Each structure stands twice: as structure tokens, then as C-alpha cells.
């Protein structure tokens, strides 16, 4: 079983729509969680960390569900510039190993 | 935020030559750096984890004699692709983390094309 699993999509949504991605992880002892964004032919960039209580940054909301072992990313009022691949990242409770999901492709359509 | 640089950003070489890629953390010390490879339309694939002053830890299926990693200081790690072949053509990305469990900061990547 993979450490991290994501629906690869693609998700094609109209401008202004709300879209949500989920990512499941297999190690119940995982400690840190992140969402990264990767544009085509560019390096991944940190979008936001995911905290136990959930956190929001503008139009983006991240949540963690430890009981069901998944994290989610909600994007409200989608913009064309949100089109990218979104990667979830999970780290175990020891060491520096990061486990990446395969990424979810989002295209926001005018 | 923390800045990680990579050099070169683009390299084209003939089959059989070796290519060295540098990864530097510019404004923080990175005990650990990571090397990834990404083929078109695929996810990042971790190649190896590099700790300053010690041997790198390679992922299964990654040849350590083919991909030489040196982490000489807390701000510099190098990846050398030895005797490169066309199948080694890929996007190589490094990342650095200030500490265990902290987010990774990625370099801009190096696009390698082997003719």
C-alpha cells in the first residue's frame, strides 16, 4: 500500500467554483502534513501546512482527519491562476522522510 | 521564505558524459537535502536523502554508483549523473529542510537532456 494516495484528477472546474481534494495516508503515526502546488515545468512550492485544528489562508482551507487518516484542501472562488497540480505531503513521526502524493491536476476554466 | 538554488537550470549533453548539479540553501542551513526526479506528467520520485557529512541514503531502484551525491556542507549538496544516457533525461529537483518535520523548500530544478 502506498504511503500517500491522491486522486490524480484531472479536475476541470469553472471560474468561481469551489473544489476540494482529498489525500489519504497509511501511517497513523504521521506527524506533519503539507499541501504543495506545482506549476507545469516548475518546482513544487509550499501552499500551506495542515494543522490538527484545520487552517485557512484566504480562499484555501486545509483540514486533517486523523481518525480517517486523510487531509483535504478546499479552494473557494477558483481563479484561473489556481490551475496547477496540487501535491499532498506527509511526514512520519521520525526522521526527515517526506512522502508525496502523485498530485491532483486542477484546471480552472474561464 | 527560505531560498534554494540549483545550477545549472538546463543542460544538454552527449551520451556517456557526466553531469554535476548543485543545490544550495541560500539563507538557512540544511542538515538534510533531498534529490528528486520527475518525468513528464508524473509525480516527483525521491531518489535519495542526503545528510551533511555522511553517505546519502538511496531509494530502492536508484543506483548509487550512477547518481553520486555529495553533501559537503550545510548549504551545498551535489548530484552527479555519471555516464549519462538518454533514459536519464529528466527534471531533477533538489529540496532542503531546516529541520526534521519542517517543510521542504525546493530548488527551481534542472532539466537534463541527454542526446
Amino acid at each position: 500500500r502506498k504511503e500517500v494516495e491522491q486522486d490524480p484528477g484531472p479536475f476541470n472546474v469553472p471560474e468561481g467554483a469551489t473544489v476540494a481534494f482529498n489525500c489519504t495516508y497509511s501511517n497513523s503515526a504521521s506527524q506533519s502534513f503539507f499541501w504543495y502546488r506545482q506549476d507545469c515545468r516548475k518546482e513544487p512550492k509550499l501552499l500551506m501546512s495542515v494543522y490538527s485544528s484545520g487552517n485557512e489562508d484566504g480562499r484555501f482551507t486545509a483540514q486533517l482527519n486523523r481518525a480517517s487518516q486523510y487531509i483535504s484542501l478546499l479552494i473557494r472562488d477558483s481563479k484561473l491562476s489556481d490551475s496547477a497540480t496540487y501535491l499532498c505531503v506527509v511526514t512520519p513521526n521520525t526522521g526527515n522522510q517526506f512522502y508525496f502524493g502523485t498530485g491532483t491536476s486542477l484546471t480552472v476554466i474561464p | 521564505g527560505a531560498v534554494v538554488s540549483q545550477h545549472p537550470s538546463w543542460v544538454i549533453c552527449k551520451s556517456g558524459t557526466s553531469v554535476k548539479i548543485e543545490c544550495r540553501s541560500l539563507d538557512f542551513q540544511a542538515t538534510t537535502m533531498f534529490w528528486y526526479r520527475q518525468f513528464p506528467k508524473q509525480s516527483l520520485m525521491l531518489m535519495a536523502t542526503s545528510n551533511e557529512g555522511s553517505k546519502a541514503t538511496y531509494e530502492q531502484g536508484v543506483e548509487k554508483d550512477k547518481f553520486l551525491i555529495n553533501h559537503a556542507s550545510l548549504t551545498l549538496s551535489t548530484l552527479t549523473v555519471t555516464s549519462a544516457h538518454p533514459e536519464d533525461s529528466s527534471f531533477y529537483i533538489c529540496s532542503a529542510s531546516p529541520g526534521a518535520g519542517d517543510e521542504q523548500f525546493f530548488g527551481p530544478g534542472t532539466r537534463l537532456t541527454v542526446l
Side-chain angles (χ1 to χ4, degrees):
Chain A
R1 184 182 172 186
K2 290 183 180 178
E3 293 282 346
V4 180
E5 299 211 42
Q6 259 185 281
D7 180 351
F11 285 70
N12 299 314
V13 303
E15 255 185 303
T18 296
V19 61
F21 311 132
N22 279 347
C23 175
T24 59
Y25 59 94
S26 60
N27 186 347
S28 60
S30 296
Q31 186 178 58
S32 302
F33 309 87
F34 308 95
W35 282 103
Y36 280 77
R37 169 193 170 131
Q38 186 177 24
D39 292 289
C40 188
R41 293 176 169 259
K42 297 286 183 66
E43 75 278 19
K45 293 190 176 179
L46 179 67
L47 179 65
M48 57 198 303
S49 302
V50 185
Y51 302 123
S52 297
S53 56
N55 47 299
E56 190 174 303
D57 183 2
R59 298 181 293 109
F60 299 85
T61 301
Q63 290 193 314
L64 167 64
N65 186 317
R66 284 194 181 274
S68 300
Q69 294 182 207
Y70 73 85
I71 62 173
S72 65
L73 177 68
L74 180 78
I75 306 175
R76 290 182 299 278
D77 188 24
S78 299
K79 311 290 184 190
L80 296 178
S81 56
D82 294 333
S83 297
T85 296
Y86 291 84
L87 302 161
C88 66
V89 180
V90 175
T91 67
N93 59 339
T94 57
N96 274 325
Q97 181 63 280
F98 279 60
Y99 297 104
F100 281 81
T102 52
T104 298
S105 174
L106 171 67
T107 301
V108 180
I109 304 165
Chain B
V3 180
V4 175
S5 70
Q6 252 182 271
H7 178 80
S9 56
W10 188 287
V11 59
I12 300 174
C13 69
K14 291 182 179 179
S15 186
T17 59
S18 294
V19 176
K20 180 187 278 190
I21 303 170
E22 291 187 351
C23 177
R24 293 179 185 274
S25 56
L26 299 184
D27 52 2
F28 67 99
Q29 293 187 329
T31 307
T32 306
M33 289 184 171
F34 305 85
W35 287 97
Y36 296 85
R37 182 166 54 181
Q38 187 175 36
F39 293 106
K41 298 192 177 183
Q42 294 188 24
S43 184
L44 294 168
M45 185 193 82
L46 179 65
M47 300 175 67
T49 302
S50 167
N51 292 296
E52 185 265 337
S54 62
K55 291 182 179 180
T57 302
Y58 289 81
E59 294 299 300
Q60 192 173 11
V62 179
E63 300 174 56
K64 61 180 181 180
D65 294 329
K66 170 78 173 175
F67 300 98
L68 300 177
I69 292 173
N70 183 283
H71 195 154
S73 75
L74 287 171
T75 59
L76 173 64
S77 177
T78 61
L79 167 68
T80 301
V81 183
T82 61
S83 186
H85 290 283
E87 58 266 28
D88 298 323
S89 299
S90 187
F91 190 45
Y92 291 85
I93 308 175
C94 73
S95 73
S97 180
D102 290 341
E103 62 263 35
Q104 291 188 19
F105 298 94
F106 287 84
T110 296
R111 194 161 300 281
L112 171 65
T113 300
V114 184
L115 302 176

